[in-house]
């Protein structure tokens, strides 16, 4: 029996677009990386088939590459309500964040301050902490409320000072799904003249992002978390990027955004990025511009996950020995639990034997895992939903976990 009936979400139509689902594997590891639909695979293959050359050359295959890159910038801009001219593309979010930290740190002086958060994936912590150490800049930490596992925005009033140059914060936790009030945090940061760098890697696969209403000066994304290829992006206003001067090769372009992009891009993947954004926009039927379709589709995705998550939590916690990790006020489609009597690694391995993919551990949310007291105890089991998650996937997980737990000592 289906876990939850899908009425507005054409789950079978969506699943049929994902070749990887055909062998019956249950992918509940979306927060670690999603599967890709046929349109993304086809766009990447077609890009290769069409003949690609390196960029800015005087022949058609090079012009095709230029167009693919321009198309990916437009698509990513649509996804976050940004400006295509300020979309920096690269191999992944971590590489790009180190790059942006190095560039921004050049504008800092000893005695300046930055604020990072305990909630964040280490990719939005360590690059800033290390850049601050090198620049003689003080790091202040925003803490997670241990009871609610929210990141209270009010604390930023006490953390941000006239010396604060940057606030780095996640739009959502990749480990426990907490959604942060980025708009409230940005308002405090901006009042002090600080920039806000938002890690939206764990948010973009679950709800609509809009840089302006979030108050994000820079926003970071990973396409492979939203059904695209392995690639990352940082989006910022062109005027802001014009003020930054990253290390680059002498002969490479000095223009924005290219001066932030090192070496040759994964050009065929650019076609996959565009196809993935189009796929997200078309998860539910309806016309309009891509931004309008993204509004509609991602609102439907959010509503669907908003219904699936509480039902899933209630079934998981109904299994003896399964305990929730985190109880945020607002959450994405990521649910984290621990299982008594077994290590979390053993649980993930036993589920893996049944072709049910979930991750165990700290998920690189290094400071959060410590704050939650699970970093040194094997972490937790993370179940994360994707557009293609079926009720039957969740049934399989609940059934398998029940069997695993019932075979352990009471
Ligand atoms: C919230 C969050 N931020 C950053 C990253 C790092 O992304 P990438 O693998 O693109 O470097 C991840 C990866 O899991 C993540 O979940």
């Amino acid at each position: 029996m289906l876990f939850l009936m899908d009425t507005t979400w054409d789950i079978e139509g969506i699943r049929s677009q994902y070749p990887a689902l055909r062998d019956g594997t249950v992918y509940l590891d979306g927060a670690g990386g999603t599967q890709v639909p046929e349109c993304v695979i086809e766009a990447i293959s077609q890009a290769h088939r069409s003949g690609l050359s390196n960029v800015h050359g005087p022949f058609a295959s090079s012009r095709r590459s230029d167009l693919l890159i321009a198309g990916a910038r437009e698509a990513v801009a649509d996804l976050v309500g940004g400006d295509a001219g300020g979309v920096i593309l690269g191999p992944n979010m971590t590489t790009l964040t180190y790059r942006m930290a190095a560039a921004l740190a050049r504008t800092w002086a000893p005695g300046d301050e930055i604020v990072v958060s305990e909630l964040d994936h280490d990719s939005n912590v360590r690059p800033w902490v290390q850049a601050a150490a090198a620049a003689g800049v003080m790091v202040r930490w925003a803490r997670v409320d241990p009871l609610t596992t929210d990141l209270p925005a009010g604390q930023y009033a006490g953390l941000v000072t006239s010396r604060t140059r940057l606030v780095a914060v996640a739009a959502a936790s990749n480990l426990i799904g907490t959604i942060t009030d980025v708009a409230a945090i940005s308002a405090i940061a901006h009042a002090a003249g600080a920039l806000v760098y938002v890690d939206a890697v764990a948010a973009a696969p679950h709800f609509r992002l809009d840089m302006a209403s979030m108050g994000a000066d820079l926003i970071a994304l990973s396409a492979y978390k939203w059904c695209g290829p392995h690639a990352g992006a940082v989006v910022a206003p062109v005027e802001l990027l014009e003020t930054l001067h990253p290390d680059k090769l002498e002969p490479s372009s000095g223009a924005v955004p290219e001066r932030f992009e090192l070496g040759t891009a994964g050009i065929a993947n650019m076609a996959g990025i565009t196809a993935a954004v189009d796929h997200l926009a078309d998860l539910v039927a309806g016309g309009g511009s891509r931004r309008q379709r993204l509004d509609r589709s991602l609102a439907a995705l959010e509503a669907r996950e908003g219904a699936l998550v509480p039902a899933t939590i209630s079934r998981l916690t109904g299994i003896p020995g399964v305990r929730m990790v985190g109880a945020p006020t607002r959450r994405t489609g990521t649910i984290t639990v621990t299982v008594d009597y077994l290590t979390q690694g053993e649980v993930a391995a036993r589920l893996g034997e049944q072709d049910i993919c979930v991750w165990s551990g700290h998920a690189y949310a290094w400071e959060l895992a410590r704050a939650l007291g699970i970093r040194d105890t094997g972490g937790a089991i993370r179940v994360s939903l994707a557009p293609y998650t079926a009720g039957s996937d969740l049934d399989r997980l609940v059934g398998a976990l029940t069997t695993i737990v019932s075979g352990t000592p009471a």
Side-chain angles (χ1 to χ4, degrees):
M1 203 185 66
L2 272 192
F3 187 92
L4 186 92
M5 294 306 290
D6 283 300
T7 45
T8 56
W9 194 258
D10 178 12
I11 186 64
E12 288 314 321
I14 291 169
R15 286 176 68 81
S16 70
Q17 299 175 49
Y18 284 80
L21 303 182
R22 288 183 197 145
D23 68 1
T25 300
V26 171
Y27 291 99
L28 292 169
D29 61 337
T34 45
Q35 302 310 305
V36 290
E38 191 65 55
C39 60
V40 170
I41 300 167
E42 182 52 29
I44 295 170
S45 308
Q46 185 48 37
H48 280 300
R49 270 190 228 109
S50 69
L52 296 176
S53 296
N54 215 324
V55 297
H56 304 327
F59 31 82
S61 51
S62 176
R63 284 191 289 274
R64 276 196 289 276
S65 296
D66 291 339
L67 284 175
L68 289 182
I69 294 171
R73 293 198 209 281
E74 294 282 349
V76 171
D78 281 353
L79 189 62
V80 296
D83 174 352
V87 174
I88 301 163
L89 298 164
N92 52 55
M93 179 275 185
T94 306
T95 306
L96 289 173
T97 300
Y98 264 109
R99 186 135 178 82
M100 300 316 294
L104 280 156
R106 288 188 164 173
T107 69
W108 303 342
D112 283 346
E113 300 172 7
I114 63 167
V115 183
V116 297
S117 115
E118 189 177 55
L119 186 80
D120 278 63
H121 186 287
D122 214 49
S123 291
N124 201 32
V125 173
R126 222 52 56 188
W128 304 114
V129 168
Q130 291 164 359
V137 163
M138 181 178 158
V139 179
R140 294 181 187 267
W141 287 85
R143 302 290 175 191
V144 171
D145 181 318
L147 288 180
T148 64
T149 59
D150 288 328
L151 184 71
Q155 69 183 306
Y156 282 83
L159 293 169
V160 171
T161 74
S162 59
R163 296 302 308 261
T164 307
R165 305 300 310 280
L166 180 108
V167 172
V169 67
S173 159
N174 66 308
L175 179 60
I176 57 171
T178 307
I179 296 177
T180 54
D181 189 349
V182 175
I185 295 168
S186 300
I188 295 167
H190 289 159
L195 291 172
V196 179
Y197 189 96
V198 177
D199 175 358
V201 171
H206 301 288
F207 59 93
R208 183 75 163 119
L209 298 167
D210 177 55
M211 288 183 72
S213 56
M214 296 167 86
D217 297 296
L218 304 104
I219 195 164
L221 303 157
S222 293
Y224 73 95
K225 310 281 193 186
W226 33 266
C227 312
H230 288 94
V234 167
V235 187
V238 173
E239 313 79 67
L240 170 59
L241 296 179
E242 294 286 4
T243 67
L244 301 175
H245 299 279
D247 279 333
K248 61 175 264 313
L249 302 182
E250 198 57 41
S252 69
S253 169
V256 167
E258 285 183 327
R259 71 169 175 244
F260 293 87
E261 299 171 337
L262 291 176
T264 305
I267 298 170
N269 270 354
M270 300 295 152
I273 292 175
T274 306
V277 175
D278 286 334
H279 175 70
L280 290 184
D282 293 331
L283 285 170
V284 296
S289 69
R290 184 163 53 199
R291 284 195 190 196
Q292 289 166 333
R293 289 182 289 119
L294 282 165
D295 283 343
R296 188 169 47 233
S297 249
L298 294 178
L301 177 69
E302 191 181 350
R304 176 177 195 257
E305 292 189 348
L308 276 175
V309 165
T312 307
I313 289 175
S314 123
R315 281 188 74 185
L316 287 173
T317 52
I319 304 170
V322 173
R323 299 164 202 272
M324 282 299 294
V325 177
T329 311
R330 287 188 62 216
R331 68 181 324 141
T332 63
T334 294
I335 301 162
T336 306
V337 297
T338 55
V339 179
D340 290 351
Y341 316 121
L342 291 166
T343 69
Q344 308 316 303
E346 277 166 345
V347 175
R350 292 210 197 167
L351 291 169
E353 282 163 14
Q354 300 179 54
D355 294 326
I356 300 172
C357 308
V358 297
W359 284 104
S360 68
H362 49 66
Y364 277 47
W366 189 241
E367 303 296 340
L368 178 61
R370 180 198 43 73
L372 295 171
I374 58 171
R375 189 164 87 188
D376 301 324
T377 57
I381 299 288
R382 183 179 65 179
V383 175
S384 54
L385 310 188
Y388 48 75
T389 303
S392 55
D393 290 337
L394 299 167
D395 286 343
R396 285 252 312 266
L397 172 72
V398 170
L401 258 186
T402 305
T403 307
I404 291 168
V405 168
S406 67
T408 62

